[in-house]
Amino acid sequence: MNTPQPAARVAVVTGAGSGIGREVARQMLADGYRVALAGRREAQLRETADGSPDALVVPCDVTRPDDVERLFEAVRQEWGRVDVLFNNAGVFGPSAGVDEISLEDWNATVAVNLTGSMLCAAAAVRTMKAQEPQGGRIINNGSISAHSPRPRTVAYTVTKHAMTGLTKSIELDGRGYGITCGQIDIGNTATDIMDTIGVGSGALQADGSRKVEPMFPVADAARAVLMMASMPASASVGSVVVTAAGMPFIGRG
């Protein structure tokens, strides 16, 4: 007698066109997930998908509520449910102190990093409440900056601190529906955003100097996300911190 095989789990990955999002999506596909790839650049999303029959490419700007609703509707139409959301889309924002940043730049950073994450989480929670069986897991991509900021990163740092509040609120409010939420804070994984702040060539330190900092492969960061996603529903992984060995995080400054 053949035992029916469980349906593949369904994940939504935002910011899937590059960096951590791309690697997480590829590892999830390799692990048997069905994965919706969301991001603003369709060509890059298709590169991530690499022709996989289990990948669904959905161009989406997470700052636009209609785009977010269309993303989750496409996933429901394709696969009927959402088991995991990796809330990953984000920008580093301008290099500036609080007295220097323009309101336009502040609002743009908050719109992607915080409001976009809220919109995606809201759509995911609505889906997870309505589906059968009920429940799911949300993983928010925070940052080491959710714990300790770099100099001149006020907008980015504030949004990542706020992400922690979003994570805890979702975890609390989701308890009665089988919805868990955790946050992964990654430090110095080798992605393009690290090049923008000069980690490999000299990142600005608290004393005003610049220092070449260690980095670690993005595949290893993605494995940590996959671990969180693949935990049984009986377990909630609230917080994971993964950094390059030796980076100036403990004892910054």
Side-chain angles (χ1 to χ4, degrees), residues 195-245:
D195 291 336
T196 68
I197 61 174
V199 167
S201 59
L204 184 62
Q205 305 297 304
D207 63 2
S209 65
R210 290 193 174 272
K211 179 180 179 180
V212 175
E213 297 182 5
M215 292 190 290
F216 73 108
V218 67
D220 294 332
R223 286 196 301 121
V225 176
L226 186 61
M227 177 276 294
M228 296 175 72
S230 301
M231 291 291 285
S234 58
S236 178
V237 184
S239 178
V240 172
V241 177
V242 185
T243 72

Side-chain angles (χ1 to χ4, degrees), residues 12 14 60 62 64-76 81-85 87 115-131 135 137-138 166 170 179:
V12 176
T14 67
C60 174
V62 298
R64 298 176 178 270
D66 289 348
D67 274 20
V68 173
E69 290 304 319
R70 183 172 52 80
L71 163 64
F72 281 85
E73 178 60 24
V75 178
R76 290 190 293 266
R81 63 182 294 108
V82 173
D83 297 294
V84 178
L85 165 65
N87 234 344
T115 305
S117 294
M118 180 278 291
L119 290 171
C120 290
V125 167
R126 286 191 289 269
T127 301
M128 291 171 179
K129 283 182 175 181
Q131 63 197 16
R137 189 180 305 277
I138 295 171
L166 179 65
I170 294 168
I179 298 168

Side-chain angles (χ1 to χ4, degrees), residues 186-202:
I186 300 169
N188 286 13
T189 192
T191 60
D192 289 344
I193 197 171
M194 292 295 99
D195 291 336
T196 68
I197 61 174
V199 167
S201 59

Side-chain angles (χ1 to χ4, degrees), residues 19-109:
I20 295 170
R22 168 172 282 183
E23 187 61 29
V24 167
R26 286 176 170 172
Q27 289 198 23
M28 282 183 155
L29 288 167
D31 200 53
Y33 283 78
R34 294 169 173 167
V35 184
L37 312 175
R40 290 179 295 182
R41 301 168 297 178
E42 183 173 356
Q44 282 82 348
L45 296 175
R46 295 201 178 280
E47 288 178 12
T48 301
D50 195 27
S52 170
D54 290 323
L56 177 66
V57 170
V58 187
C60 174
D61 182 340
V62 298
T63 70
R64 298 176 178 270
D66 289 348
D67 274 20
V68 173
E69 290 304 319
R70 183 172 52 80
L71 163 64
F72 281 85
E73 178 60 24
V75 178
R76 290 190 293 266
Q77 288 293 326
E78 188 74 14
W79 293 314
R81 63 182 294 108
V82 173
D83 297 294
V84 178
L85 165 65
F86 181 40
N87 234 344
N88 170 70
V91 295
F92 198 72
S95 175
V98 71
D99 60 321
E100 300 166 324
I101 190 169
S102 70
L103 182 59
E104 181 181 12
D105 284 343
W106 170 272
N107 286 340
T109 307

Side-chain angles (χ1 to χ4, degrees), residues 156-209:
Y156 182 79
T157 295
V158 168
T159 59
K160 294 306 182 178
H161 274 66
M163 186 73 87
T164 302
L166 179 65
T167 298
K168 292 178 179 180
S169 292
I170 294 168
E171 167 68 19
L172 179 60
D173 295 339
R175 284 181 183 173
Y177 305 95
I179 298 168
T180 62
C181 187
Q183 180 169 318
I184 185 163
D185 296 321
I186 300 169
N188 286 13
T189 192
T191 60
D192 289 344
I193 197 171
M194 292 295 99
D195 291 336
T196 68
I197 61 174
V199 167
S201 59
L204 184 62
Q205 305 297 304
D207 63 2
S209 65

